[in-house]
Amino acid sequence: MIESLKKLGTARELLVTLTLRDIRVRYKQSILGIAWAILQPLSLMLVFTVFASLTGLSSGDKGIPYPIFVYCAVLPWTFFATAVRFAVPSLVTNHNLVTKTYFPREVMPMASIGACFVDFLVASVIFVGMMVFYRIPLRPTVLLVPVILTVQIVLTLAIALVGSAMNVFYRDIRYAIPLALQIWLFASPVMYSVDRVPQSFRWIYFTNPMAAIINAYREVILRGRLPDANLLLSSTAIAVGAAIVGYAIFKRMEMKFADVI
Amino acid sequence: MNIDTCENHGNSEETYAIRFENVSKRYRLKNRRSLSLYHTFGDLFRRAKDRLLGRTSDENHFHALKDVSFQVRKGEVLGIIGPNGAGKSTTLKLLSHVTVPTEGTIDINGKVAALIEVGAGFHAELTGRENIFLNAAILGLRRAEVEKRFDEIVHFAGLERFIDTPVKRYSSGMYARLGFSVAAHVDADILLVDEVLSVGDANFQVKCFNRMQEIRRSGKTIVIVSHNLSNIKKYCDRCILLRNGEIAAAGDVDHVVAEYHRHLREANERSAETQSDTDKPIRITGVRLIDSTGEPRMEFETGEQAYLLLDYEAKERITDPAFGVSIRSADGAYLSGITTKMRGDVIDSLDQIGTITFRLDPITLFEGTYSLTAWAFNGQTRENYDYHFAACHLAVVGPPANGSEFSGYSCLPHRWFHNNEPVGNGDVWMAPADVRSEQAEHEETVHQ
């Protein structure tokens, strides 16, 4: 495993190059270009806001208007979902590279995540604008955002590694993914606040690491509070554990990629 | 299963760049069905059973390589030749770590850059410039180094004008030149080349040759896989012949090429009596290649005559019997297919047993090995009676002239003139024998 990580280290420039390639290719012959990165979470936010006003759903907190409440979650969620959606088929899509050249294959799903991360950064600009618009004060707890983001990325990596490796052997995984993500979206406190989850269900609810992560974002950015340490820690443990196991699985399956793809 | 790739060992005692020890590579033949639990369990049971019983039968597995061992010294240029399906590409894939051996050990000392299929990693939407960086990164070059060599790479490929257009607009030749150019400038200790030396026009080929010599002089190790035996002879120090996944010969290039020819000759002898169903209206019972003296021969020089004899047995009276012969190059390119009906001629009648002869005169093919396919068919209904694919092999040996002044498969019959004067000493080469003898007569009378 250490050997693999060392090899991965030597391939870091390749990772950057492939990430850039993914980004360039995605927006090359398009009119809106990188604006699509903003459009996706923004439109999701608008849809949810309309839905919320029709059904009486609210942020549960008088001081926080629903649009920014929901966008605060939609933004990292979109990063997570699109990263998984692009990373899982990434090896099969690049099968000519896999069968003709050698490089640590995990670079492929990682590059997809990297490209989506850039989209996320671009869409964050809108969020900053919204913070100003809704006059949400900037609190010191915001400094914890990079920490929470790291946990999210580790979790994304775990799913991307296992998913992309399995997709090489079982092609329908890439179709199962959007379905799973839809369900996962509703199982996470994106559209609604965690407070709406009945106490008796909370312990099952929080086995979903994204639940604690999304909630943590809201706590530190919108409410200026520290997130629940236990929840965040357990989610971190799940994410890190999954990433280590996922990487080990990936490296074992890697040897067969070129033969099967 | 044990792979040991030590990169940049820095171990000066290691004189070997590559070492294959008892390497075998097997592929399962049954296609794995996707996500069907029933089949997955069935597969698992079957595989466990096979492993327990040590069963790797031929019907379940394709043995791409069987117990192959060889070594390549640092700074050596090794050629790997062999018929299609012999295991050459598999060997390259193992060398470049694209796949791993089923059994055996592979020891590689140094960084490997593989040029298997030109432009691997090229993305159609990106420009030539962007693709150079991408491809170089894939081949292991640092960005700073790419920037240093960028102009050199572009100049070598001759693509200065088009470097900022998306490669999807490139012709296949431009594509290939760019791909080779990047690989030729990569910092690797070991370079693997698969059949890409045949891209580009004669000019580019000369550039490639010079560049390969430079790489070789700087002490790098090169492994070339090619069907083009004249390229192998040009570039390689040593050669390996692969057949059916095994090493059939190894050592000095001329010796191994001669071995290859010997195998082909033996195959020719076998097809002197072919197998086919006895109830066909016309049956080709033998395919033989002989020279103008009637001796069976496999090696000819460009410009000579060769005769392909099709021995046949005709069971019934057929109104319009016809025969065809086609030639393919070693890498599978279909060069020419000619039938007895090409000019609308009709064969009056066939004997019960007889021979149809196809005279190839002159042989316009350049140095290399070619396969000849023969078939018998009905001229009216076009129904194929008997088809023998690659029944015979023909090897053209010895370059007719300056080795780098021609390219491609075939020398078209031609003559050069300058201001109505023939260029050169006036001997007519590459013309049918009848014309040659006429010409010789004419020139004799002129000189008298």
Side-chain angles (χ1 to χ4, degrees):
Chain A
M1 177 91 122
I2 310 290
E3 271 302 316
S4 309
L5 285 172
K6 271 202 233 160
K7 273 208 208 135
L8 180 60
T10 60
R12 61 181 179 279
E13 267 200 32
L14 177 61
L15 178 59
V16 172
T17 309
L18 283 174
T19 306
L20 288 175
R21 177 198 76 161
D22 267 2
I23 298 172
R24 269 199 213 114
V25 168
R26 227 186 272 185
Y27 299 120
K28 225 168 210 228
Q29 280 189 324
S30 63
I31 300 178
L32 292 175
I34 198 115
W36 278 114
I38 303 175
L39 223 64
Q40 216 176 337
L42 201 66
S43 44
L44 201 61
M45 176 204 84
L46 289 171
V47 167
F48 285 167
T49 307
V50 168
F51 178 76
S53 63
L54 288 175
T55 58
L57 201 59
S58 79
S59 68
D61 193 326
K62 292 232 180 54
I64 305 174
Y66 190 78
I68 195 163
F69 166 81
V70 88
Y71 194 74
C72 183
V74 162
L75 192 55
W77 176 264
T78 306
F79 170 36
F80 173 67
T82 50
V84 170
R85 230 179 279 136
F86 275 106
V88 167
S90 64
L91 287 170
V92 175
T93 310
N94 288 284
H95 73 275
N96 62 331
L97 281 181
V98 174
T99 54
K100 310 279 187 213
T101 58
Y102 179 71
F103 52 86
R105 311 290 190 212
E106 58 266 32
V107 162
M108 217 72 244
M110 286 173 79
S112 303
I113 298 178
C116 292
F117 184 65
V118 171
D119 291 350
F120 167 75
L121 291 178
V122 170
S124 308
V125 171
I126 301 295
F127 183 66
V128 173
M130 284 178 77
M131 290 272 282
V132 171
F133 178 73
Y134 285 105
R135 284 188 251 264
I136 310 279
L138 206 62
R139 301 189 181 94
T141 47
V142 162
L143 292 175
L144 282 178
V145 167
V147 175
I148 309 170
L149 196 56
T150 309
V151 179
Q152 178 183 336
I153 292 178
V154 170
L155 180 67
T156 312
L157 203 59
I159 300 172
L161 286 172
V162 175
S164 60
M166 287 190 68
N167 186 237
V168 171
F169 298 91
Y170 302 105
R171 296 302 165 82
D172 21 6
I173 298 247
R174 74 179 292 185
Y175 302 115
I177 291 292
L179 178 63
L181 284 171
Q182 290 284 57
I183 300 174
W184 204 334
L185 171 63
F186 290 109
S188 308
V190 177
M191 280 178 71
Y192 52 85
S193 162
V194 169
D195 307 324
R196 309 219 55 179
V197 178
Q199 282 286 18
S200 41
F201 284 128
R202 293 247 175 129
W203 64 279
I204 302 181
Y205 187 79
F206 279 109
T207 54
N208 168 15
M210 275 311 272
I213 291 173
I214 298 282
N215 199 40
Y217 282 125
R218 286 215 180 99
E219 292 287 294
V220 302
I221 298 176
L222 300 178
R223 297 206 179 98
R225 293 206 293 252
L226 288 177
D228 188 321
N230 285 332
L231 286 178
L232 199 56
L233 237 54
S234 64
S235 298
T236 309
I238 295 177
V240 171
I244 295 178
V245 169
Y247 191 60
I249 293 178
F250 186 93
K251 288 318 258 184
R252 282 219 73 205
M253 292 172 110
E254 185 187 24
M255 303 189 274
K256 295 265 173 77
F257 286 170
D259 298 336
V260 170
I261 226 173
Chain B
M1 184 168 66
N2 196 348
I3 247 245
D4 195 358
T5 48
C6 9
E7 294 184 353
N8 290 327
H9 237 184
N11 192 350
S12 51
E13 291 174 26
E14 251 354 296
T15 50
Y16 289 101
I18 297 171
R19 209 203 307 249
F20 260 49
E21 265 173 64
N22 308 106
V23 171
S24 296
K25 179 72 185 164
R26 284 191 294 276
Y27 293 97
R28 348 194 82 249
L29 282 175
K30 284 216 174 87
N31 215 355
R32 207 179 298 204
R33 276 168 274 226
S34 54
L35 202 57
S36 163
L37 283 179
Y38 174 72
H39 284 122
T40 310
F41 282 128
D43 267 353
L44 277 171
F45 277 130
R46 211 174 305 125
R47 255 186 292 161
K49 197 173 59 161
D50 279 346
R51 217 172 298 166
L52 272 170
L53 299 177
R55 221 193 286 162
T56 50
S57 57
D58 284 330
E59 52 182 60
N60 283 327
H61 290 84
F62 171 62
H63 298 253
L65 286 181
K66 300 175 203 162
D67 200 26
V68 167
S69 302
F70 66 87
Q71 285 160 338
V72 186
R73 240 179 265 116
K74 282 194 182 161
E76 208 174 30
V77 181
L78 177 78
I80 302 182
I81 62 177
N84 280 332
K88 307 190 298 292
S89 294
T90 307
T91 307
L92 275 190
K93 284 196 183 162
L94 286 167
L95 281 171
S96 59
H97 204 14
V98 166
T99 184
V100 296
T102 323
E103 273 164 28
T105 328
I106 299 181
D107 226 329
I108 300 184
N109 276 318
K111 198 149 113 169
V112 174
L115 192 53
I116 305 175
E117 183 164 318
V118 170
F122 275 10
H123 196 111
E125 300 287 336
L126 301 179
T127 65
R129 178 186 303 269
E130 291 164 340
N131 270 306
I132 288 179
F133 282 100
L134 179 61
N135 211 357
I138 290 173
L139 291 174
L141 210 53
R142 297 243 105 103
R143 196 188 176 82
E145 287 158 0
V146 184
E147 276 166 8
K148 245 198 295 176
R149 300 170 201 202
F150 187 79
D151 293 324
E152 230 182 284
I153 295 174
V154 177
H155 180 68
F156 186 91
L159 291 169
E160 289 93 339
R161 274 185 67 202
F162 306 101
I163 206 60
D164 285 304
T165 22
V167 297
K168 64 182 180 182
R169 310 240 178 266
Y170 284 14
S171 69
S172 55
M174 294 161 76
Y175 202 86
R177 293 198 321 255
L178 187 61
F180 185 83
S181 184
V182 175
H185 288 87
V186 153
D187 235 358
D189 305 304
I190 303 169
L191 191 63
L192 308 176
V193 186
D194 185 1
E195 209 56 271
V196 293
L197 294 174
S198 356
V199 303
D201 56 17
N203 245 338
F204 187 69
Q205 299 238 3
V206 172
K207 268 205 267 195
C208 285
F209 179 68
N210 293 333
R211 178 73 194 147
M212 295 281 276
Q213 296 292 74
E214 271 177 48
I215 295 177
R216 177 189 188 168
R217 269 193 293 266
S218 61
K220 308 268 167 77
T221 313
I222 307 178
V223 177
I224 304 178
V225 165
S226 185
H227 280 286
N228 191 327
L229 298 179
S230 63
N231 274 345
I232 295 280
K233 282 198 196 162
K234 254 197 277 185
Y235 294 110
C236 302
D237 298 323
R238 276 177 65 233
C239 187
I240 286 177
L241 170 65
L242 279 178
R243 265 187 80 208
N244 290 331
E246 294 172 311
I247 295 186
D252 168 63
V253 181
D254 291 317
H255 162 71
V256 175
V257 170
E259 266 300 299
Y260 189 24
H261 284 183
R262 187 174 71 77
H263 282 288
L264 293 178
R265 221 176 300 130
E266 281 171 10
N268 277 9
E269 283 165 25
R270 279 196 293 274
S271 62
E273 279 183 38
T274 58
Q275 305 285 344
S276 44
D277 301 324
T278 41
D279 59 348
K280 299 192 184 166
I282 308 179
R283 203 161 69 91
I284 294 179
T285 54
V287 180
R288 294 177 286 138
L289 191 62
I290 61 174
D291 63 13
S292 45
T293 67
E295 287 300 309
R297 230 215 293 174
M298 196 206 61
E299 285 133 316
F300 293 82
E301 282 191 16
T302 316
E304 280 190 294
Q305 300 164 26
Y307 294 76
L308 189 70
L309 273 58
L310 309 178
D311 301 316
Y312 69 85
E313 256 177 42
K315 273 183 60 189
E316 15 174 289
R317 265 204 70 84
I318 298 158
T319 36
D320 198 353
F323 293 84
V325 169
S326 66
I327 303 177
R328 281 178 177 76
S329 68
D331 47 12
Y334 189 80
L335 299 179
S336 186
I338 298 168
T339 70
T340 54
K341 291 202 71 63
M342 197 169 82
R343 281 186 281 202
D345 302 323
V346 173
I347 300 175
D348 285 330
S349 65
L350 291 180
D351 307 324
Q352 264 208 311
I353 296 182
T355 307
I356 294 278
T357 306
F358 176 78
R359 183 177 84 175
L360 193 58
D361 173 31
I363 297 177
T364 56
L365 302 166
F366 286 133
E367 188 175 5
T369 50
Y370 303 87
S371 69
L372 298 163
T373 300
W375 66 94
F377 65 104
N378 184 312
Q380 296 285 13
T381 66
R382 320 265 3 156
E383 178 193 346
N384 266 356
Y385 290 135
D386 203 6
Y387 186 87
H388 293 266
F389 180 76
C392 222
H393 292 275
L394 179 121
V396 180
V397 294
N402 192 343
S404 50
E405 294 309 319
F406 63 88
S407 54
Y409 297 112
S410 163
C411 181
L412 304 174
H414 71 280
R415 191 111 181 253
W416 289 100
F417 292 89
H418 174 68
N419 291 335
N420 288 320
E421 288 297 312
V423 171
N425 61 6
D427 69 335
V428 181
W429 187 58
M430 285 292 103
D434 332 64
V435 175
R436 275 204 292 268
S437 50
E438 268 177 39
Q439 197 78 359
E441 275 175 31
H442 172 77
E443 272 158 21
E444 268 178 40
T445 49
V446 164
H447 285 294
Q448 268 160 9

